[in-house]
Amino acid sequence: MLVNTTGSSLRGRDLITLMDLTREEIDFILDVAFDLKRRMAIGDMPRVLDRKTLFMMFYNRSLRTRNSFEAGMTQLGGHAHDLSPSAVYAPALPGEEQAYTTERIADVARVLSQMGDGIAIRIYGKPTGWVVGKGDLIIREFAKWATVPVLNMEDDLYHPHQALADVMTMKEKLRNLEGKKFVMSWAYSGSPEKPLAVPQSAIIAASFFGMDITLAYPEGFDLRPEVIEFVKKNVDQYGGSFEIVHDMKEAFEGADVVYPKSWTAGRLLPQYPAIPGYGSETAQWDKIKELFEKNKHWRTTQELMDLTNRAIYMHCLPADRGQEVDDEVIDAPYSVVWDEAGNRLHAQKAVLALLLR
Ligand code: CP
């Protein structure tokens, strides 16, 4: 007899990127997420994490992630502690410690593992000295030493919990995702500091579901080569297609889903680890700002939406209105951003219930 062991295979695991999961495991998490969402709608909230604790550490701002993890833990019968890295001894890598100000990650991870049931971290950008990949390295350092699951609440490369909520939302709106045209597009923002995590995770997620993926960005805004390779490999395995274009109009034509948002020009920032032919030795902010100003016209307008196949509009939020997107688009009936934000709660509750159980 074949036994489905997917649920038990997730227990105790870390979630740093969806690249570490199988399609079967992602399907299982989404099944549980839909189940928890349906049950909550009729007032049924199973306390499967009774008295369990999640330690959350945010090196960057957050509205959705912080509150969905905290509310999710409460609804599952547990509790989430919000640890400000500056109010504890800030966790640091070996060689980067300052006496009585920081504490080695290996020590923090082992101490918290004695007291609770999971550690969740957000870190990218300024707290990592703008070395792309260093936030991911720090989360992996926690995972190396912790004896409880470590969850990535967004680093400089991946935002797996956002991507789970994104797929959940697409499934709710479109049902079968196979053969649907999914457009991940760059869009202008007044801030050049948004990480690569959301676009990278969104195309990784779409590549598990046989979607026709179009990645659109102006020259200079390439995503990391290992992510592109992974997506191509997944498309070979699960079907669908993958293309890169440099024109927003061309990308939007015939789209079923559009996901236009800003991300920084990673090619002009140092990378960890160094990638041959990608990244730079020092952060080139003048050039990055120039690239942003040159591409102000990458804004999501109704005119662009009219080119689509009555597409749904997605955004992880916060959205820069009047820059990334016009009000009439984000507030239109085809915009699914509020359901998408709400699904953060259900997708994360599924992850918490399965991993921290
Ligand atoms: N989408 C998202 O991660 O939102 P926050 O930055 O508010 O957590």
Side-chain angles (χ1 to χ4, degrees), residues 335-346:
S335 166
V336 300
V337 298
W338 318 119
D339 288 338
E340 188 181 357
N343 281 335
R344 294 292 305 277
L345 174 73
H346 310 294

Side-chain angles (χ1 to χ4, degrees), residues 140-199:
R140 287 176 195 276
E141 183 71 6
F142 269 95
K144 182 174 151 190
W145 293 99
T147 55
V148 295
V150 169
L151 308 181
N152 177 0
M153 298 196 293
E154 189 173 13
D155 65 23
D156 32 24
L157 302 181
Y158 308 113
H159 197 354
H161 298 92
Q162 178 69 53
L164 287 170
D166 294 342
V167 175
M168 197 176 165
T169 308
M170 287 194 284
K171 280 178 170 277
E172 281 177 341
K173 306 297 175 190
L174 306 177
R175 304 290 162 191
N176 185 7
L177 303 185
E178 273 177 31
K180 297 287 190 327
K181 181 173 178 182
F182 175 78
V183 176
M184 184 74 237
S185 174
W186 188 85
Y188 171 76
S189 161
S191 164
E193 298 190 350
K194 298 188 182 185
L196 310 180
V198 168

Side-chain angles (χ1 to χ4, degrees), residues 58 61-66 122 124 153-154 159 162 198 316-318 344:
F58 285 92
R61 290 189 179 93
S62 169
L63 174 73
R64 281 141 289 267
T65 307
R66 186 191 309 271
R122 163 170 290 195
Y124 55 80
M153 298 196 293
E154 189 173 13
H159 197 354
Q162 178 69 53
V198 168
C316 58
L317 305 178
R344 294 292 305 277

